[in-house]
Amino acid sequence: PSLPPPPPLSSPLFLPHRLCQMGNSLLKHYEWERVNPASGGVGMCWQIYPGRDRKTKKQVSIFIAQKKLLPRALRTEEYWENVVKKDASVLTKMRHPHLLDVQRAPCDERGVLVMITEPVVCSLANLTGDLRNISVGQTAKSPEGKTGEGGAQSGNATKPAHLANLQITALDIKNGLRQLVECLEFMHRSGRMIHGNVSPRNIYLTPSGHWKLAGMGFSMKADTPVTQVDCKVDWGPFQKSPAERLRGIPDFLFCAPEMVLKKRYDSRVDVFSLAQVASHLHYFVKNKEAPPKTIANVDEYRSWITNLHRPLVLDHIPKTLKKYLAQMLSVDPNRRAPLKGFLSSEYYNDVLVRTLRFLDGLLQTDMRTRVQFLRQLPKVINLFDARSAEMKVLPKLLLQWQVGEKNLMLYCLPGIIKVAERMPHKSFNDKILPIVRKVCEMRNPQFIYVLLKSFNVLIDNCPEGQQQANVLLVPLLMVGLESKEPRLQSLSMNRIVETANANKFAYSALKSTIFPRIRKLAAGPGAADVRANALEALNNLFELFDKVTIKEQVIPAVDSAIKFGRSAILLRAAVRVYASLSKNMGPLVTATNILPKVIPLMMETCLSEDDVKWILGLAEEMLSLVGSSRLTQIKGRGKVGSDMDANDLTAAVDETGDVGTFSDLLAKEYATTSELPMPTTTLETRASRNRARSKPRVSYQPTRQEATGTAGGGAGSMGGGAFDFDFLAGGGNQSSSNSRTQGQATRSAAQPATANPQADAFSFLDGGLSSGTPAPKASNARNGIPSSRGGQSSSRQNAMSNLGGGGG
């Protein structure tokens, strides 16, 4: 069982009560909730509120008993002083790990008694269904629709959520009874006191699962455990208000026969009461409800004692406990089994209980014994259920951790991580992550090694995924990489690879934080096996990066790793990385960046014959990959139109690709387009569009012979291209439309390679238009561009005639 986290200070539930509400000045030092989730004590008179000290912010429980809420028959000064206040005052004077710890002296003001104790969750009576004097927000009614006295709930009411979620197991009972036995032994022998009222109402559960004994209102002083004392309790029969009077005395169900019937007893009455508590709780665990038996008067009690030892009564008790429990419940106190023998009975022949008992007294043992115990503890932790391990084992280990002794901290750490494997994320975040941070700050290789051995537990339980892993666990890995211990460095790299491949790191952390450190380890100086492990880590990580990063950073990292201090193990690791890079990056990078580095490695003298054969085989595979890819590109060049690998991620930004010069590309493209036949309709359309754009003027339409002569004359008048420049400048003085015809013909047809290109072009047009036969192909010596086909169709002749007529 555990308390929920306290509300923030701004919560409306965590407001201090005004003094007039409770009438006690002690409350001004604490912040506490308006509702009480627990109750306990004789007649369930204590209301228990969770609180917090205003100065220290320490969690406490506030026990409040109000005289006005007691049954009317019990509102006497004698009962208030001798029972209620005695309970608080005796606890203040006694100290034991299993006694309820009172942290501040009780204060009684105007009938309101306040007692400040360590935090508790509830009493065992609350856990088993007695909800009297509890108010938690909307109080649930019992099936009969009634509530308890004084506004408290009755025992049949529905449990509040915080109690319904609590569970008690057989191990809890076994460990709790052990704590109660130790506490009663202390009271009988060292405290010289008889408790006299051991019952679930006076046993409280702490957030860590410990049982704390209280309820000292009917305790009696006794010099020895066998000293007889007189019973001062009035057992009735009560003539007036019997139900109210019953609330002010111990529960008949947990009282020894000599105490009720003979009214003289010794410390053995506590043995009987403890046995009844054990029987009561085992019945509750088995049947999920408290025993229905209630006793209202002495006559009913006498009848119940007579039938107590029937077999049916103890059928819910474990076999290992049944025999000894029957002896503890003996009617004759002289035949009653002692408390001391209870812990050595078969019931406690359990490794889990003995482990918890050893943990309780761990600080009282010597260092060697503690170390031996802590080294074996992780093997036993798996035998506990997850809740018991967190509530009972982990607090003891954390206490050892807080002692600050280095050896203790080191040997506690494996047990803490073992418990953390089954913890909820929230508990892990609250209890385990502060220890991980502390280990990172210590930077001790032994502590780092323990955490890295259980790194999967840490990474799986980080509640915020990648963000939490990057904030906390990446620094832990960096501490391992920066260590001088080769085993720790190798373990860190293995954990990095496992975690990165599981996508537990952010890409930015992997690239900017982890990769540079691994690259530095690979480059050395350092042990060859560590550097080889760094290369293996790169081999397993590089696929997570983009190809630009691989080419610009990963490949140079491998190159720098084998630059100095070469050894066989290092070279083998480098070749494995190169082989993986070749398969991932493709033939172009393989040919230009990888093969030139792999082939020279075969000449290293540190390699064996098998190593050389292995590298040779890998090199042949790479060459085969490059060759087959290149041949495929050449065969499919006409279809694809480019010899670049379309699947290469860096093709668009690769300036070293073998695609020729820019002018070569333009030449190829020009040759491709110029070889295609030019449709007549295109020229005619273009000529008509140009005529439409020009200003209206009288155009001269020559005959075929005139057009031919004009073309020839135009060729003579160009004079080495002077006409062409004048036309482009807009200053030509030729009014004839032949100038536009010549310019268009020159741009649309190939120029023959002669001393006068313009004249040859017009000669080509002249021959083609006059005879209609194809002209021979020619090449331009200046540009190296092949000419177009000489044969022109009749439609092309008509187009040229139109151009000569002033179209343009």
Side-chain angles (χ1 to χ4, degrees):
S2 61
L3 279 173
L9 292 179
S10 59
S11 170
L13 290 180
F14 235 166
L15 299 176
H17 285 244
R18 294 190 297 272
L19 297 182
C20 62
Q21 286 183 290
M22 285 295 182
N24 197 299
S25 60
L26 186 60
L27 298 177
K28 67 182 180 181
H29 302 289
Y30 299 91
E31 297 165 338
W32 51 297
E33 295 187 10
R34 296 179 179 179
V35 293
N36 64 297
S39 61
V42 58
M44 308 298 283
C45 65
W46 288 110
Q47 294 177 305
I48 306 172
Y49 298 82
R52 184 162 49 191
D53 192 295
R54 285 181 173 275
K55 292 183 179 180
T56 64
K57 303 303 179 184
K58 187 178 180 180
Q59 299 293 324
V60 297
S61 283
I62 303 175
F63 283 61
I64 298 178
Q66 300 184 65
K67 194 173 183 179
K68 66 180 181 179
L69 296 182
L70 293 176
R72 188 177 300 275
L74 301 178
R75 295 177 192 172
T76 63
E77 193 66 24
E78 179 184 3
Y79 183 82
W80 182 255
E81 293 289 337
N82 296 336
V83 177
V84 180
K85 293 182 67 174
K86 182 182 177 181
D87 186 1
S89 61
V90 173
L91 284 175
T92 306
K93 299 173 184 177
M94 298 186 69
R95 287 289 183 270
H96 188 269
H98 306 311
L99 275 176
L100 186 63
D101 181 22
V102 179
Q103 299 180 351
R104 198 157 185 166
C107 179
D108 178 19
E109 293 181 1
R110 295 187 294 276
V112 177
L113 180 63
V114 176
M115 179 173 64
I116 307 299
T117 72
E118 61 182 311
V120 298
V121 180
C122 64
S123 64
L124 284 182
N126 296 151
L127 190 61
T128 56
D130 190 346
L131 306 179
R132 289 177 293 173
N133 228 4
I134 287 181
S135 59
V136 183
Q138 299 278 336
T139 54
K141 291 186 177 181
S142 65
E144 292 79 9
K146 299 179 181 179
T147 57
E149 302 176 39
Q153 295 176 341
S154 69
N156 295 326
T158 304
K159 282 186 180 181
H162 73 285
L163 293 179
N165 294 332
L166 296 180
Q167 296 180 355
I168 187 171
T169 64
L171 179 61
D172 295 328
I173 296 175
K174 193 177 292 188
N175 189 54
L177 291 176
R178 176 188 64 82
Q179 295 168 353
L180 295 179
V181 167
E182 294 174 355
C183 182
L184 291 173
E185 279 283 319
F186 165 77
M187 290 183 62
H188 295 165
R189 299 186 181 278
S190 301
R192 298 180 180 182
M193 186 171 290
I194 303 171
H195 190 282
N197 190 18
V198 179
S199 69
R201 300 175 185 177
N202 298 315
I203 302 171
Y204 299 94
L205 274 68
T206 67
S208 61
H210 280 70
W211 290 12
K212 299 286 185 171
L213 184 60
M216 301 295 180
F218 296 98
S219 61
M220 299 291 289
K221 277 284 187 179
D223 293 335
T224 65
V226 294
T227 301
Q228 296 283 320
V229 297
D230 295 328
C231 180
K232 298 182 180 180
V233 179
D234 183 7
W235 301 102
F238 305 111
Q239 301 297 328
K240 196 174 183 181
S241 305
E244 293 183 355
R245 298 295 298 274
L246 280 175
R247 290 187 58 187
I249 63 175
D251 192 338
F252 276 114
L253 199 61
F254 299 95
C255 291
E258 64 270 24
M259 187 176 181
V260 177
L261 301 177
K262 297 181 179 181
K263 295 189 177 182
R264 188 167 178 84
Y265 59 92
D266 57 22
S267 63
R268 286 174 288 190
V269 296
D270 292 338
V271 178
F272 184 94
S273 299
L274 184 67
Q276 271 298 96
V277 169
S279 176
H280 187 86
L281 294 176
H282 278 291
Y283 183 95
F284 175 78
V285 170
K286 184 176 182 179
N287 300 285
K288 304 303 180 184
E289 63 179 0
K293 179 66 178 177
T294 58
I295 301 175
N297 53 57
V298 177
D299 293 335
E300 292 182 6
Y301 177 81
R302 185 178 289 108
S303 176
W304 171 72
I305 285 294
T306 304
N307 300 321
L308 181 63
H309 291 287
R310 289 184 178 180
L312 183 61
V313 176
L314 300 177
D315 63 349
H316 56 277
I317 304 298
K319 292 181 179 180
T320 56
L321 176 62
K322 186 176 295 187
K323 182 178 179 180
Y324 201 87
L325 190 68
Q327 297 177 8
M328 294 173 68
L329 291 173
S330 176
V331 175
D332 185 359
N334 295 323
R335 300 178 60 183
R336 197 170 295 160
L339 281 177
K340 190 173 183 179
F342 182 54
L343 297 183
S344 58
S345 65
E346 186 182 0
Y347 181 62
Y348 279 97
N349 188 19
D350 186 345
V351 63
L352 300 183
V353 178
R354 287 184 298 181
T355 299
L356 295 177
R357 186 177 183 182
F358 200 94
L359 278 170
D360 286 343
L362 192 60
L363 289 176
Q364 283 74 41
T365 59
D366 60 275
M367 181 63 69
R368 182 178 180 182
T369 304
R370 275 186 272 182
V371 170
Q372 289 177 346
F373 173 78
L374 291 173
R375 291 183 66 178
Q376 300 297 323
L377 182 60
K379 301 177 183 178
V380 183
I381 288 178
N382 283 336
L383 301 178
F384 290 91
D385 61 273
R387 188 188 66 86
S388 297
E390 180 183 350
M391 292 299 174
K392 294 178 172 58
V393 179
L394 184 61
K396 299 297 182 183
L397 295 178
L398 295 180
L399 182 62
Q400 299 291 325
W401 179 273
Q402 294 168 3
V403 170
E405 182 68 32
K406 183 179 177 181
N407 289 337
L408 281 180
M409 296 171 67
L410 178 61
Y411 288 107
C412 283
L413 195 55
I416 292 173
I417 299 301
K418 199 70 177 177
V419 175
E421 291 180 1
R422 296 178 289 170
M423 289 177 62
H425 288 318
K426 187 179 185 307
S427 299
F428 182 89
N429 193 30
D430 296 337
K431 300 176 182 179
I432 304 301
L433 290 189
I435 295 178
V436 178
R437 295 188 184 96
K438 178 68 175 177
V439 171
C440 291
E441 294 173 1
M442 294 169 61
R443 305 180 74 87
N444 186 292
Q446 291 176 304
F447 288 82
I448 298 294
Y449 185 81
V450 172
L451 290 185
L452 290 181
K453 289 289 287 185
S454 306
F455 193 75
N456 291 337
V457 177
L458 303 181
I459 199 71
D460 292 340
N461 284 279
C462 278
E464 299 177 16
Q466 284 188 349
Q467 180 181 0
Q468 187 71 29
N470 296 330
V471 171
L472 179 64
L473 301 182
V474 169
L476 178 65
L477 293 169
M478 292 299 100
V479 173
L481 292 178
E482 294 168 2
S483 171
K484 301 301 181 183
E485 289 288 337
R487 287 187 301 169
L488 187 56
Q489 292 174 329
S490 300
L491 182 59
S492 299
M493 286 184 282
N494 291 338
R495 294 295 179 257
I496 287 173
V497 171
E498 295 171 1
T499 309
N501 288 330
N503 196 27
K504 296 295 181 65
F505 288 139
Y507 181 78
S508 58
L510 188 64
K511 182 177 179 181
S512 61
T513 305
I514 297 176
F515 172 73
R517 185 61 202 172
I518 296 180
R519 177 177 181 175
K520 185 177 179 181
L521 278 179
D529 54 345
V530 174
R531 297 171 62 191
N533 287 337
L535 288 177
E536 291 292 346
L538 289 179
N539 191 20
N540 292 313
L541 291 175
F542 77 87
E543 292 183 354
L544 301 176
F545 301 115
D546 57 89
K547 291 197 173 184
V548 176
T549 302
I550 295 174
K551 185 175 180 181
E552 295 179 355
Q553 298 187 32
V554 178
I555 296 178
V558 182
D559 301 342
S560 61
I562 60 175
K563 191 173 183 180
F564 302 105
R566 296 187 175 187
S567 62
I569 185 175
L570 189 63
L571 293 179
R572 284 194 291 268
V575 172
R576 281 192 289 270
V577 181
Y578 281 135
S580 300
L581 289 170
S582 174
K583 295 177 182 178
N584 182 271
M585 297 299 291
L588 181 61
V589 175
T590 301
T592 58
N593 295 85
I594 297 177
L595 275 175
K597 299 178 177 64
V598 173
I599 294 176
L601 296 181
M602 290 187 290
M603 304 306 295
E604 295 293 332
T605 57
C606 60
L607 296 176
S608 64
E609 180 181 356
D610 293 337
D611 293 334
V612 174
K613 290 180 179 179
W614 172 63
I615 296 176
L616 180 60
L618 291 178
E620 289 175 350
E621 291 179 5
M622 296 180 194
L623 281 172
S624 175
L625 173 67
V626 173
S628 61
S629 176
R630 184 58 182 161
L631 291 175
T632 302
Q633 289 177 356
I634 292 174
K635 291 179 181 179
R637 181 182 300 174
K639 299 178 181 180
V640 178
S642 173
D643 61 352
M644 290 295 293
D645 185 2
N647 295 323
D648 191 351
L649 183 64
T650 61
V653 296
D654 192 359
E655 299 179 357
T656 63
D658 187 14
V659 296
T661 62
F662 192 72
S663 59
D664 292 338
L665 288 176
L666 295 180
K668 292 177 183 178
E669 185 65 23
Y670 190 89
T672 302
T673 56
S674 61
E675 290 175 0
L676 297 176
M678 186 175 295
T680 305
T681 55
T682 303
L683 292 176
E684 293 175 349
T685 306
R686 186 179 299 169
S688 1
R689 189 186 307 117
N690 290 339
R691 285 196 299 271
R693 289 174 184 169
S694 59
K695 295 180 180 180
R697 58 180 179 273
V698 178
S699 57
Y700 173 68
Q701 300 291 338
T703 62
R704 178 169 180 168
Q705 291 77 11
E706 290 173 343
T708 304
T710 306
S717 63
M718 279 195 64
F723 177 86
D724 197 12
F725 283 116
D726 292 339
F727 171 73
L728 291 175
N733 55 4
Q734 303 291 334
S735 60
S736 171
S737 62
N738 290 337
S739 60
R740 287 185 297 275
T741 304
Q742 294 159 5
Q744 182 65 34
T746 304
R747 284 187 295 271
S748 60
Q751 300 174 354
T754 60
N756 193 340
Q758 286 82 0
D760 290 341
F762 283 101
S763 300
F764 167 71
L765 290 175
D766 183 39
L769 292 173
S770 60
S771 63
T773 58
K777 296 182 180 180
S779 62
N780 193 320
R782 182 179 62 186
N783 295 327
I785 303 175
S787 64
S788 61
R789 293 171 184 159
Q792 306 294 333
S793 62
S794 58
S795 61
R796 185 180 183 97
Q797 296 172 7
N798 296 334
M800 291 302 175
S801 301
N802 293 335
L803 288 173

